[in-house]
Coordinates of all heavy atoms in Angstrom, one line a residue:
E1 N 29.7 123.2 126.0 CA 30.8 122.3 125.7 C 31.7 122.8 124.6 O 33.0 122.7 124.7 CB 30.3 120.9 125.4 CG 29.6 120.2 126.5 CD 30.5 119.9 127.7 OE1 31.7 120.0 127.6 OE2 29.9 119.7 128.8
R2 N 31.2 123.4 123.6 CA 32.0 123.9 122.5 C 32.8 125.1 123.0 O 34.0 125.3 122.6 CB 31.1 124.3 121.3 CG 30.6 123.1 120.5 CD 29.6 123.5 119.4 NE 29.3 122.4 118.6 CZ 28.3 122.4 117.7 NH1 27.5 123.5 117.6 NH2 28.1 121.4 116.9
G3 N 32.2 125.9 123.9 CA 33.0 127.0 124.5 C 34.1 126.4 125.4 O 35.2 127.0 125.3
R4 N 33.9 125.3 126.1 CA 35.0 124.7 126.9 C 36.1 124.3 125.9 O 37.3 124.4 126.2 CB 34.5 123.6 127.7 CG 33.6 124.0 128.9 CD 33.3 122.8 129.8 NE 32.5 123.2 130.9 CZ 31.1 123.1 130.8 NH1 30.5 122.7 129.8 NH2 30.4 123.5 131.9
A5 N 35.8 123.7 124.8 CA 36.8 123.2 123.8 C 37.6 124.4 123.3 O 38.8 124.3 123.1 CB 36.1 122.4 122.7
D6 N 36.9 125.5 123.0 CA 37.6 126.7 122.5 C 38.6 127.2 123.6 O 39.7 127.6 123.3 CB 36.6 127.7 122.1 CG 35.8 127.3 120.9 OD1 36.3 126.5 120.1 OD2 34.7 127.9 120.6
E7 N 38.1 127.3 124.8 CA 38.9 127.8 125.9 C 40.2 126.9 126.1 O 41.3 127.4 126.4 CB 38.1 127.8 127.2 CG 37.1 128.9 127.2 CD 36.2 128.8 128.5 OE1 36.5 127.9 129.4 OE2 35.2 129.6 128.6
L8 N 40.0 125.6 126.0 CA 41.1 124.6 126.1 C 42.1 124.8 125.0 O 43.3 124.9 125.3 CB 40.5 123.2 126.1 CG 41.6 122.1 126.4 CD1 42.1 122.2 127.8 CD2 40.9 120.7 126.1
A9 N 41.6 125.0 123.8 CA 42.5 125.3 122.7 C 43.3 126.6 122.9 O 44.5 126.6 122.5 CB 41.7 125.3 121.4
A10 N 42.6 127.6 123.4 CA 43.3 128.9 123.6 C 44.4 128.7 124.7 O 45.4 129.3 124.6 CB 42.2 129.9 124.0
A11 N 44.1 127.9 125.7 CA 45.1 127.7 126.8 C 46.3 127.0 126.2 O 47.5 127.4 126.6 CB 44.5 126.8 127.9
Y12 N 46.1 126.1 125.3 CA 47.3 125.4 124.7 C 48.0 126.4 123.8 O 49.3 126.4 123.7 CB 46.9 124.2 123.9 CG 48.0 123.6 123.1 CD1 49.0 122.9 123.7 CD2 48.0 123.7 121.7 CE1 50.1 122.4 123.0 CE2 49.1 123.1 121.0 CZ 50.1 122.5 121.6 OH 51.1 122.0 120.9
A13 N 47.3 127.2 123.0 CA 47.9 128.2 122.1 C 48.8 129.2 122.8 O 49.8 129.6 122.3 CB 46.8 128.9 121.3
T14 N 48.4 129.6 124.1 CA 49.2 130.5 124.8 C 50.2 129.8 125.7 O 50.8 130.5 126.6 CB 48.2 131.4 125.7 OG1 47.5 130.5 126.6 CG2 47.3 132.2 124.8
K15 N 50.3 128.5 125.6 CA 51.3 127.7 126.3 C 51.0 127.6 127.8 O 51.9 127.4 128.6 CB 52.7 128.2 126.1 CG 53.2 128.2 124.6 CD 54.6 128.6 124.5 CE 55.1 128.5 123.0 NZ 56.5 128.9 122.8
A16 N 49.7 127.8 128.2 CA 49.3 127.7 129.6 C 49.3 126.2 130.0 O 49.4 125.9 131.2 CB 48.0 128.4 129.8
I17 N 49.1 125.4 129.0 CA 49.1 123.9 129.3 C 49.9 123.2 128.2 O 50.2 123.8 127.1 CB 47.6 123.3 129.2 CG1 47.0 123.6 127.9 CG2 46.8 123.9 130.4 CD1 45.6 122.9 127.8
T18 N 50.3 122.0 128.4 CA 51.1 121.2 127.5 C 50.2 120.5 126.5 O 49.0 120.4 126.7 CB 52.0 120.3 128.2 OG1 51.2 119.3 128.9 CG2 52.9 121.0 129.3
M19 N 50.9 119.9 125.5 CA 50.1 119.1 124.5 C 49.5 117.9 125.2 O 48.3 117.6 124.9 CB 51.1 118.6 123.4 CG 50.5 117.6 122.5 SD 49.2 118.3 121.4 CE 50.2 119.1 120.2
A20 N 50.2 117.3 126.1 CA 49.7 116.1 126.8 C 48.4 116.5 127.7 O 47.4 115.8 127.7 CB 50.7 115.5 127.7
E21 N 48.5 117.6 128.3 CA 47.4 118.1 129.1 C 46.2 118.5 128.2 O 45.0 118.2 128.6 CB 47.8 119.3 129.9 CG 48.8 119.0 131.1 CD 49.3 120.3 131.7 OE1 49.5 121.3 131.0 OE2 49.6 120.2 132.9
W22 N 46.5 119.0 127.1 CA 45.4 119.4 126.2 C 44.7 118.2 125.7 O 43.5 118.1 125.6 CB 46.0 120.2 125.0 CG 45.0 120.5 123.9 CD1 43.9 121.3 124.0 CD2 44.9 120.0 122.6 NE1 43.2 121.3 122.9 CE2 43.8 120.5 122.0 CE3 45.8 119.1 121.9 CZ2 43.5 120.2 120.6 CZ3 45.5 118.8 120.6 CH2 44.3 119.4 120.0
L23 N 45.5 117.1 125.3 CA 44.9 115.9 124.7 C 44.1 115.2 125.8 O 43.0 114.7 125.6 CB 46.0 115.0 124.2 CG 46.7 115.4 122.9 CD1 47.8 114.5 122.6 CD2 45.7 115.5 121.8
T24 N 44.6 115.2 127.0 CA 43.8 114.5 128.1 C 42.5 115.2 128.4 O 41.5 114.6 128.6 CB 44.7 114.6 129.4 OG1 45.9 113.9 129.2 CG2 44.0 113.9 130.6
A25 N 42.5 116.5 128.4 CA 41.2 117.3 128.7 C 40.3 117.3 127.5 O 39.1 117.4 127.6 CB 41.6 118.7 129.1
R26 N 40.9 117.2 126.3 CA 40.1 117.4 125.1 C 39.1 116.2 124.9 O 38.0 116.4 124.5 CB 41.0 117.5 123.8 CG 40.2 117.7 122.5 CD 41.0 117.4 121.3 NE 41.5 116.0 121.3 CZ 42.2 115.5 120.3 NH1 42.6 116.2 119.3 NH2 42.5 114.2 120.4
D27 N 39.6 115.0 125.1 CA 38.9 113.8 124.7 C 37.5 113.7 125.4 O 36.5 113.4 124.8 CB 39.7 112.5 125.0 CG 40.9 112.4 124.0 OD1 40.8 113.1 123.0 OD2 41.8 111.6 124.3
P28 N 37.4 113.9 126.7 CA 36.1 113.8 127.4 C 35.1 115.0 126.9 O 33.9 114.7 126.8 CB 36.4 113.9 128.9 CG 37.7 114.5 129.0 CD 38.5 114.0 127.8
I29 N 35.7 116.1 126.6 CA 34.9 117.2 126.1 C 34.3 116.9 124.7 O 33.1 117.0 124.5 CB 35.7 118.5 126.1 CG1 36.1 119.0 127.5 CG2 34.9 119.6 125.3 CD1 36.9 120.2 127.5
Q30 N 35.2 116.3 123.9 CA 34.7 116.0 122.5 C 33.7 114.8 122.6 O 32.8 114.8 121.8 CB 35.9 115.5 121.7 CG 35.6 115.3 120.2 CD 35.0 116.5 119.6 OE1 35.5 117.6 119.6 NE2 33.8 116.3 118.9
A31 N 33.9 113.9 123.5 CA 32.9 112.8 123.7 C 31.5 113.4 124.1 O 30.5 113.0 123.6 CB 33.4 111.8 124.7
R32 N 31.5 114.4 125.0 CA 30.2 115.0 125.4 C 29.6 115.8 124.2 O 28.4 115.7 124.0 CB 30.5 115.9 126.6 CG 30.8 115.2 127.9 CD 30.6 116.1 129.1 NE 31.6 117.2 129.1 CZ 32.8 117.1 129.6 NH1 33.2 116.0 130.2 NH2 33.6 118.2 129.6
I33 N 30.5 116.4 123.4 CA 30.0 117.2 122.3 C 29.3 116.2 121.3 O 28.2 116.5 120.8 CB 31.1 118.0 121.6 CG1 31.5 119.2 122.5 CG2 30.7 118.5 120.2 CD1 32.7 119.9 121.9
T34 N 30.0 115.1 121.0 CA 29.4 114.1 120.1 C 28.1 113.6 120.5 O 27.1 113.4 119.8 CB 30.4 113.0 119.9 OG1 31.7 113.5 119.4 CG2 29.9 111.9 118.9
D35 N 28.0 113.3 121.8 CA 26.8 112.7 122.4 C 25.6 113.7 122.3 O 24.5 113.4 122.0 CB 27.0 112.3 123.8 CG 25.8 111.7 124.5 OD1 25.3 110.7 124.0 OD2 25.2 112.4 125.4
L36 N 25.9 115.0 122.7 CA 24.9 116.0 122.6 C 24.5 116.3 121.2 O 23.3 116.5 121.0 CB 25.5 117.3 123.2 CG 25.6 117.3 124.8 CD1 26.5 118.5 125.2 CD2 24.2 117.4 125.4
E37 N 25.4 116.3 120.2 CA 25.0 116.4 118.8 C 24.1 115.3 118.4 O 23.1 115.5 117.7 CB 26.2 116.5 118.0 CG 27.0 117.8 118.1 CD 28.3 117.8 117.3 OE1 28.8 116.6 116.9 OE2 28.8 118.8 117.0
R38 N 24.4 114.1 118.8 CA 23.5 112.9 118.5 C 22.1 113.1 119.1 O 21.1 112.9 118.4 CB 24.2 111.6 118.9 CG 23.3 110.4 118.7 CD 24.0 109.2 119.3 NE 24.1 109.3 120.8 CZ 23.1 109.2 121.6 NH1 21.9 108.8 121.2 NH2 23.3 109.3 122.9
R39 N 22.1 113.5 120.4 CA 20.8 113.6 121.0 C 20.0 114.8 120.4 O 18.7 114.7 120.2 CB 21.0 113.9 122.5 CG 21.5 112.6 123.2 CD 22.0 113.0 124.6 NE 21.0 113.5 125.5 CZ 21.2 114.1 126.6 NH1 22.5 114.2 127.1 NH2 20.2 114.6 127.4
L40 N 20.6 115.9 120.1 CA 19.9 117.0 119.5 C 19.4 116.6 118.1 O 18.3 117.1 117.7 CB 20.9 118.2 119.4 CG 20.2 119.5 119.0 CD1 19.0 119.9 119.9 CD2 21.2 120.7 119.0
A41 N 20.2 115.8 117.4 CA 19.8 115.4 116.0 C 18.5 114.5 116.2 O 17.6 114.6 115.3 CB 20.9 114.6 115.4
R42 N 18.4 113.7 117.2 CA 17.3 112.9 117.4 C 16.0 113.7 117.7 O 15.0 113.5 117.1 CB 17.5 111.9 118.6 CG 16.3 111.1 118.9 CD 16.5 110.2 120.1 NE 16.9 110.9 121.3 CZ 16.0 111.5 122.1 NH1 14.7 111.4 121.8 NH2 16.4 112.1 123.2
V43 N 16.2 114.7 118.5 CA 15.1 115.7 118.8 C 14.7 116.4 117.5 O 13.5 116.5 117.2 CB 15.5 116.7 119.9 CG1 14.4 117.7 120.0 CG2 15.7 116.0 121.2
T44 N 15.6 116.8 116.7 CA 15.3 117.6 115.5 C 14.6 116.7 114.5 O 13.6 117.1 113.9 CB 16.6 118.0 114.8 OG1 17.3 118.9 115.7 CG2 16.4 118.8 113.6
N45 N 14.9 115.4 114.4 CA 14.3 114.6 113.5 C 12.8 114.4 113.7 O 12.0 114.2 112.8 CB 15.0 113.2 113.4 CG 16.3 113.3 112.8 OD1 16.6 114.2 112.0 ND2 17.2 112.3 113.1

């Protein structure tokens, strides 16, 4: 998921997508990252 977030940022940086498209795609990826971090933290604890 972090790799997808990086690829998305790179696409915006090279103007392959617009700001609106970047924001639309970013939010669900970030939500999955947050959830995975929380679940991994629980396992770690």
Side-chain angles (χ1 to χ4, degrees):
E1 293 296 343
R2 286 174 172 165
R4 289 189 181 92
D6 291 340
E7 291 175 2
L8 186 64
Y12 173 69
T14 58
K15 299 183 179 181
I17 59 175
T18 65
M19 171 68 78
E21 290 172 328
W22 175 66
L23 291 173
T24 301
R26 182 199 62 176
D27 290 345
I29 294 176
Q30 187 57 52
R32 291 194 296 271
I33 289 175
T34 301
D35 180 65
L36 287 166
E37 288 176 339
R38 178 187 59 79
R39 292 166 61 191
L40 188 57
R42 176 181 60 81
V43 173
T44 300
N45 288 340

